[in-house]
Amino acid sequence: MTGPGLSDGTVNDIRIPIGYTLIPPDDRPWGLRLRLIVYAGIYDLGFSDPAQANIRFQSLAATPGVEFLVPTGKGWMLKPFTEIGYARDFDQDLGLGVWSVGMRTLTEWEGRNTRTRFGTKVQWLSTFESDLDLADRFFEFQLGLDVGFRLGFEIGGSPAYLSPYAIRRQYINAAISQPEGDPIEITYTNEVGLAFGAHPKIKLWFFKLPRIGIGYRWGPDVNGLRLSFGFPF
């Protein structure tokens, strides 16, 4: 994050995706998947000017949505989606509606003891019904690479994998408002980390258990840790 007077910032967040494939695309040209993503985060932004108060907020958001699954051949899958939900900033006691539309793509390569995935995402995000009567909106672009190495043992009958991954996020018109002064512009973040899971995923009732990952996320004047469940593409 960059902005006038911003000296340092830390971000710690958790992303938990829950999904259920309502219509599998196995024997048809498209499928449909129901999704619910839960986000929780703690954000601390500090300023070099002592006259400016630091910004700290704890947030929780849930965004249910639908995602179409469109196989295009050679391992590629297109995933147009839309999500709508609610977010809460507990430090400021603010609530707002959130919605987004976009497209994910994912391709996979299976090796003898490896599983490589490359994903992209383009997303338009906006807010509505904010307690501050604001309407924030921005574009987000993502590129991600994930390489899983088979560990030689199984979990619930599925081979276990350890997966280094990297994600690049680029933003357009994204900013955080300050109590005083110009908004803090968000331009990009990078993330690298490790994830552990099984493939095929272990099924529990109607849901498949995702892998668990921990990553380090950084960008201009910001850094933090991120706990994630599943590859976000």
Side-chain angles (χ1 to χ4, degrees), residues 2 7 19 34 43 48 65 86 97-98 102 111 125 135 142 145 155 169 184 198:
T2 59
S7 63
L34 306 180
Y43 306 84
S48 56
Y86 181 79
V98 293
L125 303 97
Q142 292 189 22
L145 179 65
I155 303 175
R169 298 175 177 87
I184 304 167

Side-chain angles (χ1 to χ4, degrees), residues 98-143:
V98 293
W99 68 275
S100 67
V101 294
M103 170 78 76
R104 299 181 182 91
T105 71
L106 180 66
T107 185
E108 302 184 20
W109 299 275
E110 293 279 356
R112 183 176 180 181
N113 293 303
T114 61
R115 181 170 178 253
T116 303
R117 294 182 292 176
F118 175 73
T120 69
K121 183 169 76 170
V122 179
Q123 187 173 13
W124 163 261
L125 303 97
S126 183
T127 66
F128 61 93
E129 296 183 359
S130 170
D131 291 347
L132 291 178
D133 196 27
L134 295 175
D136 299 320
R137 54 190 64 87
F138 62 92
F139 277 105
E140 179 182 1
F141 301 89
Q142 292 189 22
L143 295 174

Side-chain angles (χ1 to χ4, degrees), residues 114-197:
T114 61
R115 181 170 178 253
T116 303
R117 294 182 292 176
F118 175 73
T120 69
K121 183 169 76 170
V122 179
Q123 187 173 13
W124 163 261
L125 303 97
S126 183
T127 66
F128 61 93
E129 296 183 359
S130 170
D131 291 347
L132 291 178
D133 196 27
L134 295 175
D136 299 320
R137 54 190 64 87
F138 62 92
F139 277 105
E140 179 182 1
F141 301 89
Q142 292 189 22
L143 295 174
L145 179 65
D146 177 286
V147 182
F149 297 91
R150 191 166 178 171
L151 295 177
F153 62 90
E154 296 184 349
I155 303 175
S158 295
Y161 285 82
L162 184 66
S163 305
Y165 70 88
I167 300 173
R168 167 76 175 198
R169 298 175 177 87
Q170 197 79 33
Y171 303 94
I172 297 178
N173 294 330
I176 297 176
S177 298
Q178 298 187 55
E180 298 180 2
D182 296 330
I184 304 167
E185 183 183 1
I186 306 171
T187 54
Y188 71 87
T189 62
N190 299 307
E191 181 179 340
V192 294
L194 282 174
F196 174 79

Side-chain angles (χ1 to χ4, degrees), residues 1 5-11 42-48 52-57 176-178 184 186 220-223:
M1 297 180 185
L6 182 64
S7 63
D8 194 16
T10 60
V11 175
I42 300 176
Y43 306 84
D44 285 287
L45 305 178
F47 297 91
S48 56
Q52 291 182 280
N54 291 348
I55 297 177
R56 172 184 168 85
F57 55 96
I176 297 176
S177 298
Q178 298 187 55
I184 304 167
I186 306 171
D221 300 309
V222 66
N223 62 82

